[in-house]
C-alpha cells in the first residue's frame, strides 16, 4: 500500500484518498470544520491547512507576504510556503506533509480560528453546543489568545425557525456549508443555501420552503458549532452531564447504530446520535429514528395489570401462572415480537415449548410504514429477521395466521411479547382470546386486550441483540435502569417459568445469549414440538 509521511508518521492510503481522509482512517485528527467524511469536499474553512514539502529537486511554492515586525513597528516583506487544505489535497506516494510540526501551519490555524470568532457572540453559557463545540475546542488548542478586533461585531439574524425541527443562529454560523451539503447530498433536497459574502454571509432556506425533509436533524448533527440547534433538545440538558450507551435504533429494520445519551442522575434519555458504522448507516440516522428515543419514556407499562386493573408485578406473575396451569398444550400459542430483542424472544420461545408444551409459534410487531432509498426501511421493526433465525428451520406463523387460529378456536391461550400488532383492524380479535398474557413495554393493542400484563423494560433498559433486514446481528447496550416495576422480558419469562415450577438454567443476559448465538434457539433450547403456523 502506498504511504505518505504526516509529521513523523507513515500513513497508508488508498488511491484517491485525500490527506485528511487517510489520516482520519488511522485515527489522526487534522483540525477541520467544513470537511465531513460522508459529504463532498467544500474546502472553505481553511482550518485543515498543512505544509507540503516539494518533491526532491523541485523548489517549494512560496508566497510573498507582509508580516508585522513588533520591534520595528511596521510590516515587512516575507516569504512563506503556500499551505494546502488537507481535505482537498490528494495523497501521493512518498509525499511529506507537516501538520503539527510546522510553525507556518500553527500560525495559519490560529489566524483562521481568530477570524471565525471575530463576529461570534461567544454566548457559550446559553448555547446547546457548549461542551461539544469545535469553536471551543479549537480555540484552546489552536488560538488560546484574545481576539484583537475592537469593533462592534457584525450582527445577524438569531433564532430563525428553519422548520419544525431546526432553529438557526446566523451569528454563531461559520458558513462551513455542511448543513447545505447534508440536505442536497444525503436527503436529496437542496433546500438550504448560502446568501451574501464575507462577514455578511448566512444560511437561508429556499423561498417558500421549510427545512422539513426526513433527515433534517442530520443538519444539526453535522453542524460543528451551535448555529443549528434541534427544537427537541434546545435548553433541555447540559451535555457534560450526559452519558452515552452504544445502542441500535429500533425504529425500523435498518438497525442504525446510535448513541443513547442519558442523564444518569435522573435516569432520563435526552437524545439519540448516529454512531458510525459504514456497513449499516454510515454516519447517519433519519428524523424518525432520532426522535424515537421519546418512546422510552412515553406511554409505558410500568406495573403489572390483571383484568385491566393495576397491580404489582409479582401479583401479575402469580395470576399469569394460575391461568397457564393446566392449559391444553394444543390450545396454547406464543406470539413472538419483532419489536423485541433476540434475548426476549428466545426466552419466550423456550417457555412456550419447554414449559407449556406449545407447538404454535406466531409473530407480531409494528405495522409497515414509509421507506426510502437512503436508510428508512418499510419494516418498522428492528428484529423481524431475528425471529426467523430463532425458529429456523421452521418459520414463525404470520399474524394473519394467528388471527385465523384464534377465530377458529384452535388457539385459546396465548403468551405474547410486545405491545403492537401489524394489523390494527384485528384488535377486536385479541379481546376474544380466553387467556391472553402480554409482556409489554408500552400501552398498545396487546396490553390493552390482555387478561394479564407483565411490565417489560424497553430496549434502552436492557442489553439486547437485534438482527437487521440484511441479517446483521447487532448488540445494543443498556442505557438506563428499568423504569417503574418493569424488568427485561426474558427475566419476566424466567419468573413466570419459576412460578410454573420450572426454572430456566439461564440467569444473566449472556446465559440467554448463549442459547441462540452460533446456532438458533430452537436447537439450543431443545424444543419439544415443531413450529406451526
Ligand atoms: S449552520 Fe452550522 S453546518 Fe450550517 S453552515 Fe453554519 S456552521 Fe456550518
Ligand atoms: S433508518 Fe430506521 S434504524 Fe435508521 S435511524 Fe431511521 S428509524 Fe432508526
Ligand atoms: S476542513 Fe475546511 S478547508 Fe479543509
Amino acid at each position: 500500500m502506498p504511504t505518505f509521511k504526516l509529521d513523523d508518521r507513515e500513513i497508508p492510503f488508498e488511491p484517491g484518498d485525500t490527506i485528511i481522509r487517510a489520516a482520519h482512517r488511522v485515527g489522526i485528527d487534522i483540525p477541520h470544520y467544513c470537511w465531513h467524511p460522508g459529504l463532498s469536499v467544500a474546502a472553505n474553512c481553511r482550518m485543515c491547512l498543512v505544509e507540503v514539502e516539494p518533491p526532491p529537486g523541485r523548489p517549494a511554492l512560496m508566497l510573498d507576504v507582509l508580516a508585522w515586525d513588533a520591534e520595528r513597528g511596521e510590516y515587512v516583506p516575507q516569504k512563506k510556503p503556500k499551505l494546502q487544505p488537507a481535505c482537498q489535497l490528494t495523497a501521493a506516494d512518498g509525499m511529506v506533509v507537516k501538520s503539527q510540526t510546522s510553525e507556518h501551519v500553527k500560525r495559519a490555524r490560529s489566524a483562521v480560528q481568530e477570524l471565525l470568532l471575530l463576529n461570534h457572540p461567544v454566548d457559550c453559557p446559553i448555547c446547546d453546543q457548549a461542551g461539544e463545540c469545535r469553536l471551543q475546542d479549537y480555540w484552546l488548542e489552536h488560538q488560546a489568545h484574545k481576539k484583537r478586533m475592537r469593533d462592534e461585531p457584525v450582527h445577524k439574524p438569531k433564532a430563525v425557525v428553519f422548520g419544525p425541527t431546526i432553529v438557526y443562529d446566523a451569528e454563531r454560523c461559520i458558513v462551513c456549508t455542511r448543513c447545505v451539503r447534508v440536505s442536497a447530498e444525503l436527503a436529496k433536497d437542496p433546500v438550504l443555501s448560502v446568501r451574501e459574502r464575507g462577514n455578511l454571509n448566512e444560511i437561508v432556506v429556499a423561498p417558500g420552503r421549510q427545512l422539513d425533509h426526513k433527515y433534517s436533524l442530520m443538519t444539526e448533527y453535522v453542524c460543528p458549532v451551535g448555529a443549528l440547534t434541534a427544537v427537541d433538545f434546545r435548553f433541555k440538558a447540559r451535555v457534560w452531564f450526559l452519558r452515552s450507551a452504544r445502542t441500535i435504533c429500533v425504529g425500523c429494520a435498518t438497525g442504525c447504530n446510535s448513541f443513547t445519551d442519558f442523564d444518569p442522575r435522573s435516569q432520563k434519555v435526552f437524545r439519540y446520535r448516529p454512531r458510525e458504522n459504514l456497513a449499516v448507516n454510515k454516519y447517519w440516522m433519519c428524523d424518525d429514528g432520532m426522535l424515537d428515543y421519546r418512546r422510552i419514556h412515553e406511554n409505558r407499562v410500568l406495573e403489572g395489570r390483571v383484568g385491566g386493573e393495576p397491580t404489582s408485578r409479582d401479583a401479575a406473575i402469580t395470576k399469569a401462572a394460575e391461568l397457564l396451569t393446566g392449559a391444553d398444550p394444543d390450545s396454547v400459542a406464543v406470539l413472538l415480537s419483532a419489536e423485541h430483542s433476540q434475548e426476549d424472544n428466545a426466552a419466550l420461545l423456550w417457555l412456550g415449548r419447554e414449559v407449556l408444551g406449545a407447538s404454535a409459534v406466531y409473530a407480531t410487531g409494528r405495522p409497515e410504514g414509509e421507506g426510502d432509498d437512503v436508510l428508512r426501511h418499510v419494516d418498522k421493526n428492528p428484529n423481524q429477521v431475528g425471529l426467523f433465525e430463532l425458529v429456523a428451520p421452521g418459520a414463525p406463523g404470520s399474524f394473519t395466521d394467528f388471527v385465523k387460529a384464534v377465530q377458529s378456536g384452535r388457539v385459546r391461550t396465548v403468551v405474547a411479547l410486545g405491545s403492537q400488532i401489524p394489523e390494527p383492524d384485528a384488535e377486536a380479535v385479541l379481546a376474544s382470546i380466553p387467556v391472553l398474557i402480554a409482556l409489554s413495554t408500552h400501552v398498545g393493542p396487546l396490553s390493552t386486550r390482555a387478561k394479564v400484563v407483565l411490565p417489560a423494560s424497553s430496549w434502552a433498559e436492557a442489553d439486547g441483540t437485534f438482527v437487521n433486514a440484511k441479517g446483521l446481528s447487532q448488540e445494543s447496550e443498556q442505557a438506563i435502569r428499568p423504569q417503574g416495576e418493569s424488568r427485561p422480558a426474558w427475566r419476566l419469562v424466567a419468573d413466570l417459568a419459576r412460578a410454573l415450577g420450572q426454572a430456566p438454567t439461564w440467569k444473566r443476559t449472556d446465559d440467554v445469549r448463549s442459547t441462540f448465538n452460533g446456532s438458533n434457539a430452537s436447537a439450543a433450547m431443545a424444543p419439544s414440538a415443531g413450529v406451526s403456523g
Side-chain angles (χ1 to χ4, degrees), residues 215 249-256 285-286 288-290 375-377:
Y215 296 86
C249 175
V250 298
C252 81
T254 301
C256 293
M285 286 176 71
C286 75
D288 292 344
M290 288 285 283
L375 288 177
R376 296 155 67 232
H377 204 286

Side-chain angles (χ1 to χ4, degrees), residues 123-131 133 172 225-227 229 235 237-238 240:
D123 53 348
C124 305
I126 55 158
C127 179
D128 284 298
Q129 190 84 4
C133 176
R172 293 179 187 159
V225 301
T229 44
F235 311 127
R238 304 269 61 186
W240 45 85

Side-chain angles (χ1 to χ4, degrees), residues 18 20-22 24-25 29 32-41 87 134 178 181 185 221-222 276 278 282-284:
T18 54
I20 205 170
R21 187 178 285 280
H24 177 76
R25 195 178 291 120
D29 184 54
H32 59 278
Y33 286 107
C34 69
W35 182 74
H36 186 285
L39 298 173
S40 63
V41 172
C87 67
R134 268 171 209 252
R178 278 182 170 196
R181 284 173 283 148
E185 296 167 17
Y221 174 65
V222 297
E276 180 180 325
L278 296 181
K282 298 189 173 67
Y283 313 93
W284 317 116

Side-chain angles (χ1 to χ4, degrees), residues 376-397:
R376 296 155 67 232
H377 204 286
V378 290
D379 177 2
K380 298 302 173 191
N381 298 287
N383 198 30
Q384 196 84 249
V385 173
L387 301 189
F388 282 79
E389 287 188 3
L390 287 177
V391 180

Side-chain angles (χ1 to χ4, degrees), residues 168 172-179 203 219 222-225 227-228:
Y168 175 64
R172 293 179 187 159
C173 177
I174 60 167
V175 200
C176 69
T177 71
R178 278 182 170 196
C179 55
I203 302 300
T219 62
V222 297
C223 182
V225 301
L228 295 180

Side-chain angles (χ1 to χ4, degrees), residues 30-274:
I30 295 178
H32 59 278
Y33 286 107
C34 69
W35 182 74
H36 186 285
L39 298 173
S40 63
V41 172
N44 61 28
C45 75
R46 317 313 273 183
M47 194 63 190
C48 68
L49 290 176
V50 288
E51 184 178 343
V52 183
E53 286 192 2
R58 300 266 297 275
L61 194 55
M62 302 298 281
L63 296 176
D64 293 317
V65 294
L66 287 175
W68 179 251
D69 186 324
E71 273 181 26
R72 287 165 59 179
E74 60 180 338
Y75 285 97
V76 293
Q78 256 189 17
K79 286 198 178 296
K80 79 172 184 72
K82 181 169 168 37
L83 305 179
Q84 315 236 29
C87 67
Q88 202 174 36
L89 182 65
T90 307
D93 201 14
M95 203 178 227
V96 178
V97 180
K98 290 182 185 169
S99 176
Q100 314 271 38
T101 51
S102 163
E103 284 308 313
H104 295 292
V105 167
K106 281 183 192 161
R107 275 203 295 278
R109 286 178 187 161
S110 176
V112 168
Q113 186 61 28
E114 186 175 2
L115 179 76
L116 290 177
L117 285 172
L118 278 189
N119 293 298
H120 190 281
V122 197
D123 53 348
C124 305
I126 55 158
C127 179
D128 284 298
Q129 190 84 4
E132 51 188 11
C133 176
R134 268 171 209 252
L135 280 172
Q136 289 184 325
D137 296 346
Y138 287 169
W139 180 85
L140 193 65
E141 224 174 300
H142 302 288
Q143 182 183 353
H145 63 75
K146 286 194 287 189
K147 77 172 177 185
R148 290 165 288 176
M149 187 179 88
R150 296 276 183 271
D151 298 343
E152 177 70 13
V154 175
H155 292 292
K156 295 189 197 175
K158 297 181 79 69
V160 184
V161 175
F162 267 10
T165 60
I166 299 291
V167 176
Y168 175 64
D169 184 322
E171 289 188 346
R172 293 179 187 159
C173 177
I174 60 167
V175 200
C176 69
T177 71
R178 278 182 170 196
C179 55
V180 176
R181 284 173 283 148
V182 157
S183 289
E185 296 167 17
L186 175 70
K188 312 280 188 298
D189 182 6
V191 65
L192 299 181
S193 58
V194 183
R195 190 179 71 165
E196 272 290 356
R197 294 176 65 86
N199 59 12
L200 294 179
N201 59 8
E202 63 183 277
I203 302 300
V204 288
V205 183
R209 280 291 316 275
Q210 283 197 316
L211 172 59
D212 58 0
H213 54 66
K214 296 294 183 188
Y215 296 86
S216 70
L217 286 167
M218 287 301 94
T219 62
E220 184 272 341
Y221 174 65
V222 297
C223 182
V225 301
L228 295 180
T229 44
V231 171
D232 182 68
F233 187 71
R234 274 165 73 83
F235 311 127
K236 289 206 178 131
R238 304 269 61 186
V239 296
W240 45 85
F241 290 127
L242 302 183
R243 298 292 174 270
S244 302
R246 298 161 68 84
T247 48
I248 302 298
C249 175
V250 298
C252 81
T254 301
C256 293
N257 291 208
S258 55
F259 286 109
T260 294
D261 291 346
F262 62 99
D263 189 328
R265 300 166 303 174
S266 61
Q267 291 293 302
K268 192 166 175 239
V269 174
F270 279 89
R271 64 178 182 183
Y272 285 161
R273 284 179 295 127

